[in-house]
Amino acid sequence: LDARTLPPTANVLGVPASYWYDLEDRQPLDAARALDVPVLALFGGRDYQVPEADAARWERALAGRQRAEVVRVSNADHLFRPGTGMA
């Protein structure tokens, strides 16, 4: 996918390559910074799909922005279900 050598209709992990190309093109931090509405970014502390590094990136991107907050829910998994240990 890096070189986009697959045709957009090629199946990659059960979805068309065009899905992955579109996902790669998105810039969510830039989009969030450009919003003129309050922004709340939630991260689960037990979420292995969205690692701590992503939460830190969002924190840096929204730092100093008035109506933006990044919240970590330490005992929550990817679906914000509470628990302990590996989700």
Side-chain angles (χ1 to χ4, degrees):
L1 284 177
D2 288 341
R4 297 192 183 201
T5 55
L6 295 174
T9 57
N11 186 316
V12 180
L13 299 174
V15 296
S18 61
Y19 168 84
W20 299 108
Y21 296 154
D22 179 69
L23 191 62
E24 185 178 52
D25 290 342
R26 293 176 185 272
Q27 301 297 321
L29 297 176
D30 292 341
R33 279 191 291 260
L35 292 173
D36 191 28
V37 295
V39 175
L40 174 62
L42 298 171
F43 295 90
R46 297 174 50 242
D47 186 350
Y48 63 89
Q49 292 168 289
V50 182
E52 171 64 27
D54 286 349
R57 216 173 335 198
W58 277 83
E59 234 166 25
R60 285 190 304 274
L62 298 175
R65 182 159 171 213
Q66 292 254 330
R67 299 178 309 160
E69 186 176 0
V70 175
V71 175
R72 291 175 176 86
V73 183
S74 62
N75 69 334
D77 66 10
H78 188 70
L79 301 175
F80 292 94
R81 295 176 298 201
T84 58
M86 178 68 126

Coordinates of all heavy atoms in Angstrom, one line a residue:
L1 N 0.8 -1.2 0.0 CA 0.0 0.0 0.0 C 0.8 1.3 0.0 O 0.4 2.3 -0.4 CB -0.9 0.0 1.2 CG -2.1 -0.9 1.2 CD1 -2.9 -0.8 2.5 CD2 -3.0 -0.6 0.0
D2 N 2.1 1.2 0.5 CA 2.9 2.4 0.6 C 3.1 3.1 -0.8 O 2.9 4.3 -0.9 CB 4.3 2.1 1.2 CG 4.2 1.8 2.6 OD1 3.2 2.1 3.3 OD2 5.2 1.2 3.2
A3 N 3.3 2.3 -1.8 CA 3.5 2.9 -3.1 C 2.2 3.0 -3.9 O 2.2 3.5 -5.0 CB 4.5 2.0 -3.9
R4 N 1.2 2.5 -3.3 CA -0.2 2.5 -4.0 C -0.1 1.8 -5.3 O -0.6 2.3 -6.3 CB -0.7 3.9 -4.1 CG -0.9 4.5 -2.7 CD -1.7 5.8 -2.8 NE -1.8 6.3 -1.4 CZ -2.8 7.2 -1.1 NH1 -3.7 7.6 -1.9 NH2 -2.8 7.6 0.2
T5 N 0.5 0.7 -5.3 CA 0.7 -0.1 -6.6 C -0.6 -1.0 -6.8 O -0.7 -1.5 -7.9 CB 1.9 -1.0 -6.5 OG1 1.9 -1.8 -5.3 CG2 3.2 -0.1 -6.5
L6 N -1.4 -1.2 -5.8 CA -2.6 -2.0 -6.0 C -3.7 -1.2 -6.6 O -3.8 0.0 -6.3 CB -3.1 -2.5 -4.6 CG -2.1 -3.5 -3.9 CD1 -2.7 -3.8 -2.5 CD2 -2.0 -4.8 -4.7
P7 N -4.5 -1.8 -7.4 CA -5.7 -1.1 -7.9 C -6.6 -0.8 -6.8 O -6.7 -1.5 -5.8 CB -6.3 -2.0 -9.0 CG -5.7 -3.3 -8.7 CD -4.4 -3.1 -8.0
P8 N -7.4 0.3 -6.8 CA -8.3 0.7 -5.8 C -9.3 -0.4 -5.4 O -9.7 -0.5 -4.3 CB -9.0 1.9 -6.3 CG -8.1 2.5 -7.3 CD -7.4 1.3 -7.9
T9 N -9.6 -1.3 -6.3 CA -10.6 -2.3 -6.1 C -10.0 -3.6 -5.5 O -10.7 -4.5 -5.1 CB -11.3 -2.7 -7.4 OG1 -10.4 -3.1 -8.3 CG2 -12.2 -1.5 -7.9
A10 N -8.7 -3.7 -5.4 CA -8.0 -4.9 -4.8 C -8.4 -5.1 -3.4 O -8.5 -4.1 -2.6 CB -6.5 -4.7 -4.9
N11 N -8.6 -6.3 -3.0 CA -9.0 -6.7 -1.7 C -7.8 -6.8 -0.8 O -6.9 -7.5 -1.0 CB -9.7 -8.0 -1.7 CG -10.3 -8.4 -0.3 OD1 -9.7 -8.2 0.7 ND2 -11.5 -8.9 -0.3
V12 N -7.8 -6.0 0.3 CA -6.7 -6.0 1.3 C -7.4 -6.1 2.7 O -8.1 -5.2 3.1 CB -5.9 -4.7 1.2 CG1 -4.8 -4.7 2.3 CG2 -5.3 -4.4 -0.2
L13 N -7.2 -7.3 3.3 CA -7.7 -7.5 4.6 C -9.3 -7.4 4.6 O -9.9 -6.9 5.6 CB -7.1 -6.6 5.7 CG -5.6 -6.8 5.9 CD1 -5.1 -5.8 6.9 CD2 -5.3 -8.2 6.3
G14 N -9.9 -7.8 3.5 CA -11.3 -7.8 3.4 C -12.0 -6.5 3.0 O -13.2 -6.4 2.9
V15 N -11.2 -5.5 2.7 CA -11.8 -4.2 2.1 C -11.0 -3.8 0.9 O -9.8 -4.2 0.8 CB -11.8 -3.1 3.2 CG1 -12.7 -3.5 4.4 CG2 -10.5 -2.8 3.7
P16 N -11.6 -2.9 0.1 CA -10.8 -2.5 -1.1 C -9.6 -1.6 -0.7 O -9.7 -0.9 0.3 CB -11.9 -1.7 -1.9 CG -13.1 -1.6 -1.1 CD -12.9 -2.4 0.2
A17 N -8.6 -1.7 -1.5 CA -7.4 -0.9 -1.3 C -7.8 0.6 -1.2 O -7.1 1.4 -0.5 CB -6.4 -1.1 -2.4
S18 N -8.8 1.0 -1.9 CA -9.2 2.4 -1.9 C -9.5 2.9 -0.5 O -9.3 4.1 -0.1 CB -10.4 2.7 -2.8 OG -11.5 1.9 -2.4
Y19 N -10.1 2.0 0.4 CA -10.4 2.3 1.8 C -9.1 2.7 2.5 O -9.0 3.7 3.2 CB -11.0 1.1 2.5 CG -11.1 1.2 4.0 CD1 -12.1 2.0 4.6 CD2 -10.1 0.7 4.8 CE1 -12.2 2.1 5.9 CE2 -10.2 0.8 6.2 CZ -11.2 1.5 6.7 OH -11.3 1.7 8.1
W20 N -8.0 1.8 2.3 CA -6.7 2.1 3.0 C -6.1 3.4 2.4 O -5.5 4.1 3.2 CB -5.8 0.9 2.8 CG -6.4 -0.3 3.4 CD1 -6.9 -1.4 2.8 CD2 -6.6 -0.6 4.8 NE1 -7.4 -2.3 3.7 CE2 -7.2 -1.9 4.9 CE3 -6.3 0.1 6.0 CZ2 -7.5 -2.4 6.2 CZ3 -6.6 -0.5 7.2 CH2 -7.2 -1.7 7.3
Y21 N -6.2 3.6 1.1 CA -5.7 4.8 0.6 C -6.3 6.0 1.2 O -5.7 7.0 1.5 CB -5.8 4.8 -0.9 CG -5.1 3.7 -1.7 CD1 -5.5 3.3 -2.9 CD2 -3.9 3.2 -1.1 CE1 -4.8 2.3 -3.6 CE2 -3.2 2.2 -1.8 CZ -3.7 1.7 -3.1 OH -3.0 0.8 -3.7
D22 N -7.6 6.0 1.3 CA -8.4 7.1 1.9 C -8.0 7.3 3.3 O -7.8 8.5 3.8 CB -9.9 6.8 1.7 CG -10.7 7.9 2.4 OD1 -10.7 9.1 1.8 OD2 -11.3 7.7 3.4
L23 N -7.9 6.2 4.1 CA -7.5 6.3 5.5 C -6.1 7.0 5.6 O -5.9 7.8 6.5 CB -7.5 4.9 6.1 CG -7.4 4.8 7.6 CD1 -8.6 5.5 8.3 CD2 -7.4 3.4 8.0
E24 N -5.2 6.6 4.8 CA -3.9 7.1 4.8 C -3.8 8.6 4.5 O -3.0 9.4 5.0 CB -3.0 6.4 3.8 CG -1.5 6.8 3.9 CD -0.7 6.0 2.9 OE1 -1.0 5.9 1.7 OE2 0.3 5.4 3.4
D25 N -4.7 9.1 3.6 CA -4.8 10.5 3.2 C -5.4 11.4 4.3 O -5.2 12.6 4.3 CB -5.6 10.7 2.0 CG -4.9 10.1 0.7 OD1 -3.7 9.9 0.8 OD2 -5.6 9.8 -0.3
R26 N -6.1 10.8 5.2 CA -6.8 11.7 6.2 C -5.7 12.2 7.2 O -4.8 11.6 7.6 CB -7.8 10.9 7.0 CG -9.0 10.5 6.1 CD -10.0 9.6 6.8 NE -11.0 9.2 5.8 CZ -12.1 9.9 5.6 NH1 -12.3 11.0 6.2 NH2 -12.9 9.5 4.7
Q27 N -6.0 13.4 7.6 CA -5.1 14.1 8.6 C -5.9 14.5 9.8 O -6.3 15.7 9.9 CB -4.4 15.3 7.9 CG -3.5 14.9 6.7 CD -2.4 14.0 7.1 OE1 -1.8 14.2 8.1 NE2 -2.1 13.1 6.2
P28 N -6.3 13.6 10.7 CA -7.2 14.0 11.8 C -6.7 15.1 12.7 O -7.5 15.9 13.2 CB -7.4 12.7 12.5 CG -6.2 11.8 12.2 CD -5.8 12.2 10.8
L29 N -5.4 15.2 13.0 CA -5.0 16.2 13.8 C -5.1 17.6 13.2 O -5.5 18.6 13.8 CB -3.5 16.0 14.2 CG -3.2 14.7 15.0 CD1 -1.8 14.5 15.3 CD2 -4.0 14.7 16.3
D30 N -4.8 17.7 11.9 CA -5.0 18.9 11.2 C -6.5 19.3 11.2 O -6.8 20.5 11.4 CB -4.5 18.8 9.8 CG -3.0 18.7 9.7 OD1 -2.3 19.1 10.7 OD2 -2.5 18.3 8.7
A31 N -7.3 18.3 10.9 CA -8.8 18.6 10.9 C -9.3 19.1 12.3 O -10.1 20.0 12.4 CB -9.5 17.3 10.5
A32 N -8.8 18.4 13.3 CA -9.2 18.8 14.7 C -8.8 20.2 15.0 O -9.5 21.0 15.6 CB -8.7 17.8 15.7
R33 N -7.5 20.6 14.6 CA -7.0 21.9 14.9 C -7.8 23.0 14.2 O -8.0 24.1 14.6 CB -5.6 22.0 14.5 CG -4.6 21.5 15.5 CD -3.2 21.8 15.2 NE -2.7 21.1 14.0 CZ -1.9 20.0 14.0 NH1 -1.5 19.5 15.1 NH2 -1.6 19.5 12.9
A34 N -8.4 22.6 13.0 CA -9.1 23.6 12.2 C -10.6 23.8 12.6 O -11.2 24.7 12.2 CB -9.1 23.2 10.7
L35 N -11.1 22.9 13.5 CA -12.5 23.0 13.9 C -12.7 24.2 14.7 O -11.9 24.6 15.6 CB -12.9 21.8 14.7 CG -12.9 20.5 13.9 CD1 -13.2 19.3 14.9 CD2 -14.0 20.5 12.9
D36 N -13.9 24.8 14.6 CA -14.2 26.0 15.4 C -15.3 25.6 16.4 O -16.3 26.3 16.6 CB -14.7 27.1 14.4 CG -14.9 28.4 15.2 OD1 -14.2 28.6 16.2 OD2 -15.7 29.3 14.8
V37 N -15.2 24.4 16.9 CA -16.2 23.9 17.9 C -15.3 23.2 19.0 O -14.1 22.9 18.8 CB -17.1 22.9 17.3 CG1 -18.0 23.5 16.2 CG2 -16.4 21.7 16.7
P38 N -15.9 23.0 20.2 CA -15.2 22.3 21.2 C -14.8 20.9 20.7 O -15.5 20.3 20.0 CB -16.2 22.2 22.4 CG -17.1 23.3 22.1 CD -17.2 23.4 20.6
V39 N -13.6 20.4 21.2 CA -13.1 19.1 20.8 C -12.8 18.3 22.0 O -12.1 18.8 22.9 CB -11.8 19.3 19.9 CG1 -11.2 17.9 19.6 CG2 -12.1 20.0 18.6
L40 N -13.3 17.1 22.1 CA -13.0 16.2 23.2 C -12.4 14.9 22.6 O -13.1 14.3 21.8 CB -14.2 15.9 24.0 CG -14.1 14.8 25.1 CD1 -13.1 15.3 26.2 CD2 -15.4 14.5 25.7
A41 N -11.2 14.6 22.9 CA -10.5 13.4 22.4 C -10.4 12.4 23.6 O -9.8 12.8 24.6 CB -9.2 13.7 21.8
L42 N -11.0 11.3 23.5 CA -11.0 10.3 24.6 C -10.1 9.1 24.2 O -10.1 8.6 23.1 CB -12.4 9.8 24.9 CG -13.4 10.8 25.3 CD1 -14.8 10.2 25.3 CD2 -13.1 11.3 26.7
F43 N -9.3 8.6 25.2 CA -8.4 7.5 25.0 C -8.5 6.5 26.2 O -8.5 7.0 27.3 CB -7.0 8.0 24.8 CG -6.8 8.8 23.6 CD1 -6.9 10.2 23.7 CD2 -6.5 8.2 22.4 CE1 -6.8 10.9 22.5 CE2 -6.3 9.0 21.3 CZ -6.4 10.3 21.3
G44 N -8.7 5.3 25.9 CA -8.7 4.2 26.9 C -7.3 3.8 27.3 O -6.5 3.5 26.4
G45 N -7.0 3.7 28.5 CA -5.7 3.3 29.0 C -5.4 1.9 28.7 O -4.2 1.5 28.7
R46 N -6.4 1.0 28.5 CA -6.2 -0.4 28.2 C -6.4 -0.7 26.7 O -6.6 -1.8 26.3 CB -7.1 -1.2 29.0 CG -6.9 -1.1 30.5 CD -8.0 -1.9 31.3 NE -8.2 -3.2 30.9 CZ -9.3 -3.7 30.4 NH1 -10.4 -2.9 30.3 NH2 -9.4 -4.9 30.0
D47 N -6.4 0.3 25.9 CA -6.6 0.2 24.4 C -5.3 -0.1 23.7 O -4.5 0.7 23.6 CB -7.2 1.5 23.9 CG -7.7 1.4 22.5 OD1 -7.4 0.4 21.8 OD2 -8.4 2.4 22.0
Y48 N -5.2 -1.3 23.2 CA -4.0 -1.7 22.5 C -4.1 -1.3 21.0 O -3.1 -1.4 20.3 CB -3.7 -3.2 22.7 CG -4.7 -4.1 22.1 CD1 -4.7 -4.5 20.8 CD2 -5.7 -4.6 22.9 CE1 -5.6 -5.4 20.3 CE2 -6.7 -5.4 22.4 CZ -6.6 -5.8 21.1 OH -7.6 -6.7 20.6
Q49 N -5.3 -0.9 20.6 CA -5.5 -0.5 19.2 C -5.1 0.9 18.9 O -4.7 1.3 17.8 CB -6.9 -0.8 18.7 CG -7.3 -2.2 18.7 CD -8.7 -2.4 18.5 OE1 -9.5 -2.2 19.4 NE2 -9.2 -2.9 17.3
V50 N -5.3 1.8 20.0 CA -4.9 3.2 19.9 C -3.9 3.4 21.1 O -4.3 3.6 22.2 CB -6.1 4.1 20.1 CG1 -5.7 5.5 19.9 CG2 -7.1 3.8 19.0
P51 N -2.6 3.3 20.8 CA -1.6 3.3 21.9 C -1.4 4.7 22.5 O -1.9 5.7 22.0 CB -0.3 2.9 21.2 CG -0.5 3.2 19.7 CD -2.0 3.1 19.5
E52 N -0.8 4.7 23.6 CA -0.5 5.9 24.4 C 0.1 7.0 23.5 O -0.1 8.2 23.7 CB 0.3 5.6 25.6 CG 0.9 6.8 26.4 CD -0.2 7.6 27.0 OE1 -1.3 7.1 27.3 OE2 0.0 8.8 27.2
A53 N 1.0 6.6 22.6 CA 1.7 7.6 21.8 C 0.7 8.4 21.0 O 0.9 9.6 20.7 CB 2.6 6.8 20.8
D54 N -0.4 7.8 20.6 CA -1.5 8.5 19.8 C -2.1 9.6 20.7 O -2.4 10.7 20.3 CB -2.5 7.6 19.3 CG -2.0 6.8 18.1 OD1 -1.0 7.1 17.6 OD2 -2.7 5.8 17.7
A55 N -2.4 9.2 22.0 CA -3.0 10.2 22.9 C -2.0 11.4 23.1 O -2.5 12.5 23.1 CB -3.3 9.5 24.2
A56 N -0.8 11.1 23.2 CA 0.2 12.1 23.4 C 0.3 13.0 22.2 O 0.5 14.2 22.3 CB 1.6 11.5 23.7
R57 N 0.2 12.4 21.0 CA 0.2 13.2 19.8 C -1.0 14.2 19.7 O -0.9 15.3 19.3 CB 0.2 12.3 18.6 CG 1.0 12.7 17.4 CD 1.0 11.7 16.3 NE 0.8 10.4 17.0 CZ 1.1 9.2 16.4 NH1 1.6 9.2 15.3 NH2 0.9 8.1 17.1
W58 N -2.2 13.7 20.1 CA -3.4 14.5 20.2 C -3.2 15.6 21.2 O -3.5 16.8 21.0 CB -4.6 13.7 20.5 CG -5.2 13.1 19.2 CD1 -4.8 11.9 18.7 CD2 -6.2 13.6 18.4 NE1 -5.5 11.7 17.5 CE2 -6.4 12.7 17.4 CE3 -7.0 14.7 18.5 CZ2 -7.3 12.9 16.4 CZ3 -8.0 14.9 17.5 CH2 -8.1 14.0 16.5
E59 N -2.6 15.3 22.3 CA -2.3 16.3 23.4 C -1.4 17.4 22.8 O -1.7 18.6 23.0 CB -1.7 15.7 24.6 CG -2.4 16.0 25.8 CD -2.0 15.0 27.0 OE1 -0.9 14.5 26.9 OE2 -2.8 14.8 27.8
R60 N -0.4 17.1 22.2 CA 0.5 18.1 21.6 C -0.2 18.9 20.5 O 0.0 20.1 20.5 CB 1.8 17.4 21.0 CG 2.8 16.9 22.0 CD 4.1 16.5 21.4 NE 4.0 15.5 20.4 CZ 3.9 14.2 20.6 NH1 4.0 13.7 21.8 NH2 3.8 13.3 19.6
A61 N -0.9 18.2 19.7 CA -1.6 18.9 18.6 C -2.6 20.0 19.1 O -2.8 21.0 18.5 CB -2.3 17.9 17.6
L62 N -3.3 19.6 20.2 CA -4.3 20.5 20.7 C -3.9 21.4 21.9 O -4.7 22.2 22.4 CB -5.5 19.7 21.1 CG -6.2 18.9 20.0 CD1 -7.3 18.0 20.6 CD2 -6.7 19.8 18.9
A63 N -2.6 21.3 22.2 CA -2.1 22.1 23.3 C -2.3 23.6 23.1 O -2.1 24.1 22.0 CB -0.6 21.9 23.5
G64 N -2.8 24.3 24.1 CA -3.0 25.7 24.0 C -4.3 26.1 23.3 O -4.6 27.3 23.3
R65 N -5.0 25.2 22.8 CA -6.3 25.5 22.2 C -7.3 25.5 23.3 O -7.5 24.6 24.1 CB -6.6 24.4 21.2 CG -7.9 24.7 20.5 CD -8.1 24.1 19.3 NE -9.5 24.4 19.0 CZ -10.3 23.7 18.3 NH1 -9.9 22.5 17.9 NH2 -11.6 24.0 18.1
Q66 N -8.1 26.6 23.3 CA -9.0 26.9 24.3 C -10.1 25.8 24.5 O -10.2 25.3 25.5 CB -9.7 28.2 24.1 CG -8.7 29.4 24.2 CD -9.0 30.1 25.5 OE1 -10.1 30.2 26.0 NE2 -7.9 30.7 26.1
R67 N -10.8 25.5 23.6 CA -11.9 24.5 23.8 C -11.6 23.1 23.3 O -12.4 22.5 22.6 CB -13.2 25.1 23.1 CG -13.6 26.4 23.6 CD -14.8 27.0 22.9 NE -14.6 27.0 21.5 CZ -15.6 27.1 20.6 NH1 -16.9 27.2 21.0 NH2 -15.4 27.1 19.4
A68 N -10.4 22.6 23.8 CA -10.0 21.3 23.4 C -9.5 20.6 24.6 O -8.8 21.2 25.5 CB -8.9 21.3 22.3
E69 N -9.9 19.3 24.8 CA -9.4 18.5 25.9 C -9.1 17.1 25.5 O -9.9 16.5 24.7 CB -10.5 18.6 27.0 CG -10.1 17.9 28.3 CD -11.1 18.0 29.4 OE1 -12.2 18.6 29.1 OE2 -10.9 17.5 30.4
V70 N -8.0 16.6 26.0 CA -7.7 15.2 25.8 C -7.9 14.5 27.1 O -7.3 14.9 28.1 CB -6.3 15.0 25.3 CG1 -5.9 13.5 25.2 CG2 -6.1 15.7 23.9
V71 N -8.7 13.4 27.2 CA -8.9 12.7 28.4 C -8.5 11.2 28.2 O -8.9 10.6 27.3 CB -10.4 12.8 28.8 CG1 -10.7 11.9 30.0 CG2 -10.8 14.2 29.0
R72 N -7.8 10.7 29.2 CA -7.4 9.3 29.2 C -8.3 8.7 30.3 O -8.3 9.1 31.4 CB -6.0 9.2 29.5 CG -5.0 9.6 28.4 CD -3.6 9.5 28.9 NE -2.6 9.8 27.9 CZ -2.2 11.1 27.6 NH1 -2.7 12.1 28.3 NH2 -1.3 11.3 26.7
V73 N -8.9 7.6 29.9 CA -9.7 6.8 30.9 C -8.9 5.5 31.2 O -8.9 4.6 30.4 CB -11.1 6.5 30.3 CG1 -12.0 5.7 31.3 CG2 -11.8 7.7 29.8
S74 N -8.2 5.6 32.3 CA -7.2 4.6 32.6 C -7.6 3.1 32.5 O -6.9 2.2 32.1 CB -6.5 4.9 33.9 OG -7.4 4.8 34.9
N75 N -8.8 2.8 33.0 CA -9.2 1.5 33.1 C -10.1 1.0 31.9 O -10.7 0.0 31.9 CB -10.0 1.2 34.4 CG -11.3 1.9 34.5 OD1 -11.5 2.9 33.8 ND2 -12.2 1.4 35.3
A76 N -10.2 1.8 30.9 CA -11.1 1.6 29.7 C -10.3 0.9 28.6 O -9.2 1.2 28.3 CB -11.7 2.8 29.3
D77 N -11.0 0.0 27.9 CA -10.5 -0.6 26.7 C -10.9 0.2 25.4 O -11.3 1.4 25.6 CB -10.9 -2.1 26.5 CG -12.4 -2.2 26.3 OD1 -13.1 -1.3 26.0 OD2 -12.8 -3.4 26.3
H78 N -10.7 -0.3 24.2 CA -11.0 0.4 23.0 C -12.5 0.9 22.9 O -12.8 1.9 22.3 CB -10.6 -0.5 21.8 CG -10.7 0.3 20.5 ND1 -9.8 1.2 20.1 CD2 -11.5 0.1 19.4 CE1 -10.1 1.7 18.9 NE2 -11.1 1.0 18.5
L79 N -13.4 0.1 23.5 CA -14.8 0.4 23.5 C -15.2 1.1 24.8 O -16.4 1.2 25.1 CB -15.6 -0.8 23.2 CG -15.3 -1.5 21.9 CD1 -16.1 -2.8 21.8 CD2 -15.6 -0.6 20.7
F80 N -14.3 1.5 25.6 CA -14.5 2.2 26.9 C -15.2 1.4 27.9 O -15.9 1.8 28.8 CB -15.1 3.6 26.7 CG -14.2 4.5 26.0 CD1 -14.3 4.7 24.6 CD2 -13.3 5.2 26.7 CE1 -13.4 5.6 23.9 CE2 -12.4 6.1 26.0 CZ -12.5 6.2 24.7
R81 N -15.0 0.0 27.8 CA -15.5 -0.9 28.8 C -14.4 -0.9 29.9 O -13.2 -1.1 29.6 CB -15.7 -2.3 28.2 CG -16.8 -2.3 27.1 CD -16.9 -3.7 26.5 NE -15.7 -4.0 25.9 CZ -15.5 -4.9 24.9 NH1 -16.6 -5.6 24.5 NH2 -14.4 -5.1 24.4
P82 N -14.9 -0.8 31.1 CA -13.9 -0.8 32.2 C -13.4 -2.3 32.5 O -14.0 -3.2 32.2 CB -14.7 -0.4 33.4 CG -16.1 -0.7 33.1 CD -16.2 -0.6 31.6
G83 N -12.2 -2.3 33.0 CA -11.6 -3.6 33.4 C -10.2 -3.4 33.9 O -9.7 -2.3 34.2
T84 N -9.5 -4.5 34.1 CA -8.1 -4.5 34.5 C -7.3 -5.4 33.6 O -7.8 -6.3 32.9 CB -8.0 -5.0 36.0 OG1 -8.5 -6.3 36.0 CG2 -8.7 -4.1 36.9
G85 N -6.0 -5.1 33.5 CA -5.1 -5.9 32.7 C -5.3 -5.7 31.2 O -6.0 -4.8 30.8
M86 N -4.7 -6.6 30.4 CA -4.8 -6.5 29.0 C -6.3 -6.6 28.5 O -6.9 -7.6 28.9 CB -3.9 -7.6 28.3 CG -4.0 -7.6 26.8 SD -3.3 -6.1 26.1 CE -2.1 -6.9 25.0
A87 N -6.7 -5.8 27.7 CA -8.1 -5.8 27.1 C -8.2 -7.0 26.2 O -7.3 -7.4 25.5 CB -8.4 -4.5 26.4

